[in-house]
């Protein structure tokens, strides 16, 4: 695998100029994820209105992959209905798990596909998405938006 | 049916001569021999993939982690555990049982509680509970044994009661060969809200074991008794129980966050795996499981059943041979005495004929007391043993008898 | 002087290519590679001598016992322990430290007592003491660190006091490379009647360690970090202390007599070795010690010193390179950051050039907090590394820097 | 190694017709030894008068080697002065440890030499001797004749 297979242009671009960085005033979804291997932390916040993700942001620190992936996620998710968001999440996680299929609909997010062959970095790439996933399901089950810190372990993608 | 001749070819140690005789290895309950496939898996790991697991970004670390976790998947499927989160790698059965004793029993038991065990337990499934009793004030109670070595079941309801918090029982005795009625014991224990920890050291290597079908709370077993390397064992635990337990060993790998004064724990199963694990050991165990799966555990069990029946028939014809334990159902081993000849002498004489058996109390002294012997001989079979081995054993025993006939 | 070219020939994994580049393995503080001699010792054991130890009369059991105990003798001489009774085989450093925590500290410490540690400890020499504090009411106190990563010693007398019962300190830091003044700490601790447990995970593999000359109470180390197999570690303990400690794990091997309700313990060192040990692991560690002895630990240490000096010189020339820890004295490793490039990215890029380093908190999160970083890169050297490896590392770092120059 | 190398005639003779079996009325030396591997137990008792082992007995149970060796020991020790007894003990343990040298003076006890090549059985062969050794040193240091049960471990010959 070459450097360019991993660090695709889209990744480097999102890393250099992250979209959706920051926090929201009154988020209804807040989820803080932590990767114990490297100490990366990402907090995902979102607002939902009329069944649609009205805005979504991330904060925290981490490597290029985790930051770029979080940035891409905010772009991909903004404006989606909850079912659409969940479908996209499932599609993304399937791609990262290496499941065969077409991922065209993920657009530039496909740039992360190369990372799926690096098990350890995989956790970096999925951290923010995983945080949103848990945040969404907490939201749907009516749980408080401030869940516990979630720890991503190897293989529990 | 197993093809023993083919199987033997996989075991490099089998070619060996002992005191000029071909090795007949009948000490499998102590530890089994290792097939080429297991040895190769260890060598291959060290030669191509060795690195520390779970923490590294580089290629070797990824490879090592993948292989280590793949071994865990193999164990998970082998005992039909719901998930890899239920499968903790330990050093051996003894450590697995101690984890339950320290992290669950010492945490939750109190005076007035009762722990039910049997008098046929290996020390590793007895002494930890003695210590739990000592430290928590709980009381040990013993299931009774019938003269033939089976557990008495008609009064189980008087022993497993509302006071019982834990039942610790072996699925197969390492001396008597008894196969215990785990299903019934689990049902009774669960009815009164007690948990059951099963010592599978002598069952998992020999018969199909399904933790979900048996509804076990914990199961302990050792890799080295099932073709795997030394230094690797397994503790299976139900997820809610593992979650309720405190970690056992503290250190690297098992933590999520550490501050100067406190720490948070990793998720299962890592919470119970402190420090660098026996990576090569786990991978070797995975290869052992592949080997056993290829034979089929049902075939393994049938083979041993046939062999032990043949052995009992053959050995009982020897004057002075005394068998301990029930005839059926029984695991693939025979504990016995030979007239007044001391088991140490029997084992030494047999060794001069290349036959390896064990003599002693087999780490079950209370059982020896119950049998009213200080020691017994034990011949235990596995997949590479056949009728010819039993014949060699029998004729060596006859010679032993003769040799000692004028003295003992 | 070590002949690195010759040494490399002994390591089968070294021939390997990673992403098309020859493997440059610089993750030795995590685990070391294994020479042919160690792998062969394991294979030879399984192919010729495999049996359970200590209990068998037959030839294989005698052979296995002899080889296992011979490995213990090798460890005994390697650290100059007074006797084999002082040498307990465990799984790894983490378990060794937990044995002291459970069997000594939890038994003897009480509220008001103090345990002194340092902020640079690996989690394995910190979290067990946090737990001891929690369970006994003893208090943790921390030796201070100077900005350069050395321990502050001028106020040690205020931290190690009459209240101190135990000092837990690493001899060599796995991040900073700091070599701690163990002799002075031991003298001070013993003056106030405190015991000292030393984490030797990063010292025993790299420098000559003499437990009697250092007057240590306990020493913990891991086989896998010194050319040995995974799954085997050592706890050295002073005999009177080991005698005063309760056994840790309960089960087979560690008992002398067992009755239904109680048991007596074996003599040292068996009292602390419950169940079937990692026999092949111990034998493999013995072979690793033979290998290191043949090189000479003084030569090993000199080689690493020279290499790390060269590495620091070479790497500090790289723009944005930031070294953590003191320059001298230091163990054979360098922890660093490269401008704003995240260590995970550095490690991934280096891997594409075949260079294996570690990125993360290296199981020392409190130290990372102290350094005010979430992660660092770490390149750690051993006997098979040379100046060319450092050069490869340096040029790969320069390329990493360039690659990220337009973003980070 | 053949059977006859281990089970020498002298051993089988002492096993079949043990000498010195039994207990004393008022022993000044009593030491109970136990071999945890096989469960063998041997109690050695002795009386000392005028610095001489006036009588020595053994009881307990065990394998042929341990019984024969105990029996031989009673014969070898009876009537010896304490220094003589200690010299014989040292000589015997040296032989069993495989130290080179002449062991002629041990007489029929030399029959046990073959056992020195069987590490596990070695413990059987030395059990009684070891018990006497500890008993003697307890006696000399004025300790009570009823010491604790002593456990012989592998390698602590
Ligand atoms: C200083 C130090 N202590 C303890 C350990 C723990 O060693 P192990 O994982 O072998 O238990 C390590 C290794 O990671 C270490 O570097
Ligand atoms: C029934 C039983 N339980 C537990 C053990 C202990 O196994 P290990 O020595 O591998 O811990 C054994 C084996 O000796 C056994 O036979």
């Amino acid at each position: 695998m070459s450097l360019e297979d991993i660090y695709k242009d889209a990744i480097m671009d999102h890393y250099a100029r992250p979209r959706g960085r920051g926090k929201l005033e009154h988020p209804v979804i807040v989820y803080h994820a932590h990767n114990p291997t490297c100490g990366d932390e990402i907090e995902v916040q979102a607002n939902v209105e009329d069944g649609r993700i009205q805005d979504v942001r991330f904060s925290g620190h981490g490597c290029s992959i985790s930051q770029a992936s979080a940035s891409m996620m905010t772009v991909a998710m903004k404006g989606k209905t909850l079912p659409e968001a969940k479908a996209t999440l499932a599609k993304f996680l399937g791609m990262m798990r290496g499941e065969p299929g077409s991922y065209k609909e993920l657009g530039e997010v496909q740039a992360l596909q190369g990372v799926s062959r690096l098990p350890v970095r995989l956790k970096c790439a999925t951290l923010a998405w995983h945080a949103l996933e848990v945040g969404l399901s907490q939201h749907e089950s009516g749980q408080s938006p401030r869940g516990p810190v979630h720890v991503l372990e190897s293989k529990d993608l | 049916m197993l093809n023993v001749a083919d199987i033997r070819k996989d075991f490099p140690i089998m070619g060996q001569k002992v005191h000029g005789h071909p090795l007949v290895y009948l000490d499998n309950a102590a530890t089994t021999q290792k097939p080429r496939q297991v040895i190769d898996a260890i060598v291959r790991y060290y030669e191509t993939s060795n690195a520390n697991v779970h923490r590294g970004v580089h290629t070797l670390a990824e490879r090592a982690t993948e292989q280590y976790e793949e071994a865990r998947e193999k164990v998970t499927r082998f005992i039909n555990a719901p998930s890899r989160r239920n499968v903790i790698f330990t050093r051996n059965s003894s450590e697995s049982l101690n984890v339950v004793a320290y992290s669950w029993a010492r945490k939750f038991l109190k005076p007035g509680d009762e722990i039910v065990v049997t008098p046929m337990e290996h020390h590793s499934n007895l002494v930890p509970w003695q210590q739990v009793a000592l430290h928590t004030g709980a009381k040990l109670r013993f299931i009774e044994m019938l003269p033939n070595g089976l557990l008495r079941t008609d009064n189980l309801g008087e022993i497993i009661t509302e006071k019982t918090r834990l039942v610790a029982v072996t699925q197969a005795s390492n001396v008597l060969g008894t196969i215990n009625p785990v299903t019934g014991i689990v049902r009774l224990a669960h009815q009164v809200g007690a948990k059951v920890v099963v010592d599978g050291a002598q069952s998992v290597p020999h018969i199909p074991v399904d933790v979900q079908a048996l509804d076990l709370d914990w199961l302990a077993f050792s890799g080295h008794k099932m073709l795997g390397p030394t230094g690797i064992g397994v503790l299976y635990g139900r997820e809610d129980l593992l979650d309720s337990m405190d970690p056992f060993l503290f250190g690297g790998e098992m933590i999520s966050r550490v501050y100067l004064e406190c720490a948070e724990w990793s998720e299962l199963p890592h919470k119970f795996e402190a420090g660098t694990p026996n990576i090569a050991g786990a991978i070797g165990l995975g290869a052992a499981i592949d080997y056993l799966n290829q034979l089929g555990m049902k075939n393994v069990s049938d083979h041993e059943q046939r062999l032990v029946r043949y052995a009992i028939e053959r050995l009982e014809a020897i004057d002075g041979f005394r068998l301990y334990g029930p005839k059926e159902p029984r695991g693939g081993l025979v504990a016995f005495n030979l007239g007044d000849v001391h088991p140490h002498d029997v084992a030494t004489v047999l060794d001069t004929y290349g036959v390896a058996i064990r003599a002693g109390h087999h780490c079950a002294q209370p059982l020896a007391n119950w049998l009213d012997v200080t020691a017994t001989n034990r011949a235990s079979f596995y997949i590479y043993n056949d009728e010819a081995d039993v014949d060699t054993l029998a004729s060596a025993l006859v010679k032993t008898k003769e040799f000692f006939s004028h003295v003992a």
Side-chain angles (χ1 to χ4, degrees), chain A residues 119-134:
Chain A
V120 174
R121 304 306 303 278
L122 196 54
K123 286 190 269 177
C124 311
T126 55
L127 195 65
W129 299 72
H130 199 69
L132 180 69
E133 187 184 36
V134 186

Side-chain angles (χ1 to χ4, degrees), chain A residues 12-149:
Chain A
M12 295 308 266
D13 180 56
H14 272 270
Y15 179 42
R17 304 183 300 112
R19 285 54 134 191
R21 223 188 193 300
K23 300 209 174 196
L24 296 171
E25 286 265 305
H26 302 290
V28 298
I29 288 174
V30 176
Y31 201 80
H32 192 111
H34 166 225
N35 181 344
T37 329
C38 54
D40 289 357
E41 316 253 356
I42 284 195
E43 184 165 305
V44 170
Q45 301 190 340
N47 270 329
V48 178
E49 250 168 54
D50 300 330
R52 231 175 243 286
I53 295 181
Q54 188 245 335
D55 202 358
V56 49
R57 301 281 175 89
F58 80 98
S59 55
H61 54 80
C63 63
S64 61
I65 307 282
S66 76
Q67 299 291 299
S69 175
S71 168
M72 286 176 172
M73 182 203 69
T74 63
V75 175
M77 290 299 174
K78 195 164 170 175
K80 283 220 158 62
T81 65
L82 294 189
E84 282 167 2
K86 280 193 280 186
T88 302
L89 262 168
K91 195 89 197 164
F92 172 75
L93 292 173
M95 175 180 83
M96 297 311 286
R97 252 187 250 111
E99 287 166 14
S102 161
Y103 295 102
K104 273 223 180 99
E105 64 187 87
L106 289 177
E108 65 173 2
V109 173
Q110 287 176 93
L112 290 164
Q113 193 163 11
V115 181
S116 70
R117 275 173 291 160
L118 304 173
V120 174
R121 304 306 303 278
L122 196 54
K123 286 190 269 177
C124 311
T126 55
L127 195 65
W129 299 72
H130 199 69
L132 180 69
E133 187 184 36
V134 186
L136 276 177
S137 77
Q138 286 187 346
H139 174 69
E140 296 205 310
S141 64
Q143 272 176 267
S144 129
R146 294 231 161 244
V149 170

Side-chain angles (χ1 to χ4, degrees), chain B residues 29 92-95 97 122 124 170 172 174 199 201-202 222 224-225:
Chain B
N92 50 30
S93 304
S94 303
E95 189 188 16
L97 294 162
H122 187 280
S124 295
T170 191
N174 66 322
D199 177 352
Q202 298 294 346
S222 299
H224 70 94
K225 291 187 200 283

Side-chain angles (χ1 to χ4, degrees), chain B residues 237-368:
Chain B
R238 255 181 41 208
E239 190 163 334
D240 57 337
L241 291 172
L242 295 179
D243 276 334
S244 75
M245 289 156 70
D246 289 333
F248 174 47
L249 299 177
F250 301 91
E253 301 272 353
M254 54 71 66
I255 54 80
S256 153
R257 285 173 197 248
V258 178
Y259 309 95
L260 280 177
E261 307 278 351
C262 64
E264 291 162 13
W265 316 135
S266 294
E267 303 213 333
L268 290 175
H270 308 292
K271 169 177 153 187
F272 290 101
E273 294 182 1
T276 305
N278 187 352
I279 307 166
I283 290 167
L285 175 57
I289 287 176
D290 288 343
Y291 193 95
L292 288 171
N293 280 336
Q294 218 173 330
L295 298 180
M297 285 309 293
K298 179 75 175 64
N299 293 328
V300 169
S301 149
D302 287 350
H303 172 76
E304 289 185 31
Q305 290 296 315
R306 211 173 35 245
L307 207 52
V308 79
R309 265 197 300 272
Y310 178 72
I312 291 176
E313 199 184 293
R314 195 79 173 70
L315 300 176
E316 285 203 319
I318 299 172
D319 184 43
F321 177 88
R322 167 148 190 215
L323 177 75
Y324 299 99
K327 293 222 169 142
E328 306 257 347
R330 72 153 38 238
L333 57 85
V334 279
F336 61 92
N337 263 308
L338 191 66
D340 288 334
V341 188
H342 191 283
H344 256 191
D345 289 317
V346 175
T348 295
V349 176
L350 259 54
D351 188 54
T352 65
Y353 292 106
V355 181
I357 65 159
R358 181 129 308 207
H361 51 59
H362 315 300
C363 290
Q365 284 184 20
L367 178 63

